[in-house]
Amino acid sequence: MMQRLVRMVSGLVGALLLVAVAINFSNVFGRYLLDMPIFWAEEGMGFIQIAIVVIGAALVARDNAHLKMDAVEHFMPAALKRWVDVATAALTVVVALVIVWMASDVVMQMVQNDQRSMAMELPLAIPYSIFPLGFSLIALFALARLVRLLSRKK
Amino acid sequence: MSTLLVLLPIAMLVAGMPIFLILLATALVALAFVLHVPLVGAPQMMFGSIDKFSLLAVPFFIFAGEIMSQGGVSERLIRWVQSLIGGVRGSIALTTVGTCEVFGAISGSSPATVAAIGRTMYPALRAGGYSDTFALGLLTSGGAIASIIPPSILMILYGAAAEQSVAKLFIGGVLPGILIGLLMAAYIIVYARSRNLAPTERFSWLRLAQTTRQGIWALAAPVIILGSIYGGICTPTETAGIACVYGILVGRFVYREITWRRVFELAGSAAYLTAQIMIIVAASGVFSWLLTISGVPQAIVQFIQEMKITPVMLLFAINVLLLVVGCFIDPSSAVLVLTPLLVPIVRLAGIDLVHFGIIVTVNLSIGMFTPPFGLNIFVSQGLFKAPMSTIVRGVVPFLLIQIAALMIITYVPWLSLYLGQFTK
C-alpha cells in the first residue's frame, strides 16, 4: 500500500516537471514564432513548482534524505543516533501537522472570499491546497518512519 | 526563552536534524510563543517564497544537466576539448579543467559535473601517468568550476534571497570561473613538467575539425544557453526550460543514447533534488519573516556599525565565516540561511551585491570539496571507489589554489562586475 503510494507520488512529481518544461517551451515558441504567448504560463508553472517542491518533500522525508549537517552524526554512538532519528521523525510529524492545520485555515478563508489568481483566475484555494496535501504526506511518511524506529529492537 | 531559541536550533543542527525542519520548528515556536504572531501567515510565507518564476530555473537546470550528462553530450565535449589541447605536458589534466569550464556552461551543479566528467577522465588520467592522489584531487575540486561558470544553482538561490538579477550574477561568474581554471592549469603544467609526464599527440586541425563535427550538437548547448540569456531572447528560467527540451531532443534523436523511459526517470530524479533544495527555500521564507519581525538584521547592522569595521576587514571576516560554514553545511542551505543576515551588513559597507553574490558562490563552491564533509568528496568516493584519505590529500593543493583565487575575486571587484556593464 505504502509502496504504491510512493511510486505514485514519485511518478507524479516527474510528470509535473515534464509538464512545466512543455508549458515553458510552448510559451517561448508561441511568443516568437506565432506571436501568441501563453498569458498564464508563468503563473501555471509557479503553481506546478509549488506542487513539485511540497509533494516531492514528502518523498524526501520518506527516504530520510532531507539536507542536513551530518558532520557529527558519523561519530555518534548508535543508541544516541537512534534517539536523534526518533526525535527527528516525531518533530517532523508535529511541525507538518501544524502546517496542515494553518494551511487548511488559509484554504478555507480563500474559499469563503473566492480569491482568484491574477492570470488564470483559478480559485487560489486550489494551489494553496497543495500545502495541506503535501504536509499531510510528510506527516504520514514521518509517522511510518517513527513507528518503524520504535518497533525496531535496540 | 530567547537563549533557548538560539541554542536549541544549534543543538538540532549539530545533532544532524534536517535544516528545513530546524528553520520551521524554530520560526513557528518563536512566532507563536515569543512574538505572539498568528501562525496562519506561515503557509502564505512559504507559498510566496517558492512561487517565484526566477526559482523555476533550479529544477530546469538540474534536469537539463542530468539529461545532457546521460545523453552523450558530456562525452563529446571531452573529446572536443581533448582535440583542442594537444602536444603539451599535462594535456589530459588540462582537458579535465577545460571540460569542467565548458560543461559548467550547461550544468549548474558541482557534484553532477564531477560525475559527468570523472567517469571518462579518471581512467584517462591514470593511464596518462598521473598519480591516484592527483587525479582524484583534480576531479573532486574541478567540479566546483560548474557552480561559478553560468548557469549556477547557487547564484539563482542567492539572486532570489538577495533580490538581485540572476542574469547579472551569471555574467559576473564568467571571469572568476576562468581565473580559477587558469590558476589550476598553471599548477597542472608545473606538476606535469616536474613529473616529466609524456605529452599527448600533437594538436591537429584535422582532428579538431572531426571532433567539432561529431560534437556540434553538444557544443551548441552552451551557446544556446548563454546566447539566449544575453541576446535578450529569454530569461534565465525560460532558457533553462529550453535547455531541457534541447537536451531531450539531442539525447533521444541525434545521439540516441537515452530512451523515453530514462527521460521520465531523470525528470523524477530532478524533481526529487529540487524538493530537497527548495523545501529549505520555503522554510527560510518563514524564518526570514521571523527575522524581519524580531529586528535581528537591524541589530546585527547596528553592532557592525559600532565596531567600525572597514569593508576590507568585513569581507575577510565573511570569507572566513563562509569557508568554515561551507565545510559543514551544504551550499544551498548556507546561501538561503545566511544571505538575509549578511546582505544588510554588506549593503551598509557599500559593497556591490552582485560582487558579493559571486564571493558567496565561489566561497561555498570551495566548501563542496573541502575535507572532511564536502559533498564532492563523497561523490568521488562512490564513483571511483577510492579511499577518503587519498582524495583528501589530492584536494589540498587545489584547495589552496581556489582560496588564492577567492582572495583575488574578493578584492578585485572588477572581475565580477566588468562584463555586467554590457548587459541590459
Side-chain angles (χ1 to χ4, degrees):
Chain A
M1 174 73 183
M2 201 62 127
Q3 283 301 323
R4 262 180 71 181
L5 181 66
V6 170
R7 268 205 305 274
M8 225 172 71
V9 174
S10 182
L12 175 69
V13 288
L16 282 172
L17 181 56
L18 289 172
V19 170
V21 169
I23 295 174
N24 178 71
F25 184 75
S26 311
N27 184 37
V28 176
F29 186 83
R31 189 171 67 214
Y32 281 105
L33 296 175
L34 310 174
D35 201 19
M36 269 175 28
I38 304 173
F39 69 95
W40 51 265
E42 283 197 16
E43 190 178 274
M45 285 188 280
F47 293 159
I48 289 175
Q49 158 147 283
I50 290 165
I52 290 172
V53 173
V54 182
I55 297 172
L59 283 180
V60 185
R62 189 214 170 241
D63 299 343
N64 195 23
H66 275 292
L67 296 175
K68 58 188 178 184
M69 187 186 98
D70 51 6
V72 177
E73 201 185 8
H74 298 293
F75 306 106
M76 266 186 202
L80 180 61
K81 167 94 177 64
R82 184 170 178 269
W83 280 113
V84 170
D85 282 348
V86 168
T88 303
L91 188 64
T92 307
V93 173
V94 174
V95 168
L97 290 179
V98 171
I99 299 291
V100 171
W101 178 29
M102 293 302 140
S104 303
D105 265 7
V106 175
V107 170
M108 293 312 291
Q109 278 174 25
M110 282 173 172
V111 170
Q112 277 165 11
N113 301 335
D114 192 28
Q115 277 177 268
R116 287 171 183 268
S117 67
M118 302 277 277
M120 284 191 273
E121 295 195 5
L122 184 79
L124 272 176
I126 296 174
Y128 265 90
S129 301
I130 296 165
F131 272 81
L133 176 73
F135 275 85
S136 298
L137 278 174
I138 293 177
L140 178 71
F141 287 143
L143 186 67
R145 185 173 163 74
L146 183 64
V147 171
R148 256 200 328 272
L149 283 165
L150 291 176
S151 59
R152 198 186 297 161
K153 285 184 185 158
K154 282 180 196 174
Chain B
M1 187 74 173
S2 303
T3 318
L4 198 67
L5 277 175
V6 175
L7 294 181
L8 204 59
I10 294 173
M12 287 158 80
L13 186 73
V14 173
M17 286 190 170
I19 289 163
F20 94 96
L21 186 65
I22 300 170
L23 292 173
L24 270 185
T26 310
L28 292 178
V29 170
L31 289 165
F33 300 110
V34 181
L35 299 164
H36 306 289
V37 175
L39 290 184
V40 77
Q44 285 163 312
M45 287 296 156
M46 293 171 84
F47 193 97
S49 313
I50 39 178
D51 187 20
K52 286 181 183 158
F53 189 61
S54 65
L55 284 175
L56 197 64
V58 173
F60 283 171
F61 273 129
I62 292 177
F63 186 36
E66 296 255 326
I67 287 274
M68 302 238 194
S69 67
Q70 305 240 345
V73 168
S74 57
E75 293 294 312
R76 282 159 182 89
L77 287 180
I78 289 171
R79 266 181 250 146
W80 182 76
V81 179
Q82 243 164 356
S83 69
L84 200 64
I85 307 167
V88 273
R89 284 190 204 284
S91 55
I92 303 172
L94 292 173
T95 299
T96 307
V97 175
T99 315
C100 286
E101 297 270 350
V102 182
F103 194 72
I106 297 172
S107 162
S109 155
S110 179
T113 305
V114 173
I117 308 297
R119 277 190 203 106
T120 306
M121 290 316 292
Y122 179 66
L125 284 162
R126 294 294 287 129
Y130 295 85
S131 73
D132 207 20
T133 316
F134 180 88
L136 290 167
L138 173 66
L139 290 166
T140 309
S141 59
I145 294 171
S147 299
I148 302 157
I149 291 280
S152 156
I153 305 287
L154 285 181
M155 287 181 197
I156 298 167
L157 296 176
Y158 172 86
E163 295 176 351
Q164 293 301 304
S165 149
V166 174
K168 283 212 161 163
L169 287 163
F170 275 5
I171 199 87
V174 172
L175 293 180
I178 292 173
L179 172 75
I180 292 174
L182 288 177
L183 290 179
M184 286 174 77
Y187 172 69
I188 288 165
I189 290 169
V190 172
Y191 174 91
R193 285 194 176 179
S194 70
R195 302 263 180 317
N196 211 17
L197 293 171
T200 48
E201 59 181 293
R202 292 187 73 83
F203 170 81
S204 109
W205 284 105
L206 183 67
R207 207 160 73 92
L208 180 63
Q210 273 170 350
T211 57
T212 306
R213 192 168 45 81
Q214 286 160 2
I216 194 77
W217 293 96
L219 288 165
V223 176
I224 289 171
I225 291 174
L226 300 181
S228 59
I229 296 176
Y230 296 106
I233 300 165
C234 292
T235 63
T237 303
E238 287 174 340
T239 301
I242 300 285
C244 297
V245 175
Y246 184 79
I248 293 171
L249 292 177
V250 170
R252 180 71 190 87
F253 297 112
V254 181
Y255 297 151
R256 297 179 187 181
E257 291 193 17
I258 42 169
T259 58
W260 285 117
R261 189 186 173 79
R262 190 76 192 119
V263 169
F264 191 72
E265 282 168 3
L266 290 173
S269 110
Y272 188 94
L273 288 170
T274 302
Q276 268 185 319
I277 297 170
M278 299 278 284
I279 195 69
I280 300 174
V281 177
S284 70
V286 186
F287 195 74
S288 297
W289 183 41
L290 164 71
L291 291 179
T292 311
I293 296 175
S294 58
V296 172
Q298 292 90 321
I300 297 175
V301 166
Q302 201 180 345
F303 174 73
I304 299 285
Q305 254 175 335
E306 282 162 12
M307 298 258 293
K308 297 203 187 320
I309 299 176
T310 61
V312 172
M313 280 307 294
L314 179 69
L315 282 178
F316 185 77
I318 291 176
N319 268 327
V320 173
L321 169 81
L322 289 173
L323 280 173
V324 173
V325 167
C327 295
F328 298 101
I329 302 180
D330 76 280
S332 308
S333 314
V335 164
L336 293 165
V337 175
L338 293 175
T339 302
L341 291 171
L342 294 176
V343 159
I345 307 170
V346 170
R347 187 181 278 133
L348 180 83
I351 295 157
D352 187 282
L353 288 183
V354 169
H355 176 213
F356 184 64
I358 305 300
I359 296 173
V360 171
T361 307
V362 173
N363 205 313
L364 292 175
S365 68
I366 292 174
M368 293 294 283
F369 66 91
T370 308
F373 300 111
L375 184 59
N376 288 7
I377 294 177
F378 298 109
V379 173
S380 287
Q381 206 180 6
L383 206 62
F384 311 122
K385 310 281 173 266
M388 170 86 109
S389 55
T390 314
I391 301 172
V392 170
R393 265 188 290 129
V395 295
V396 170
F398 296 102
L399 184 63
L400 296 174
I401 290 167
Q402 295 212 15
I403 289 177
L406 172 66
M407 287 300 132
I408 299 171
I409 292 159
T410 301
Y411 294 113
V412 185
W414 179 87
L415 279 169
S416 311
L417 300 175
Y418 176 69
L419 293 179
Q421 297 173 55
F422 305 107
T423 60
K424 287 167 201 162

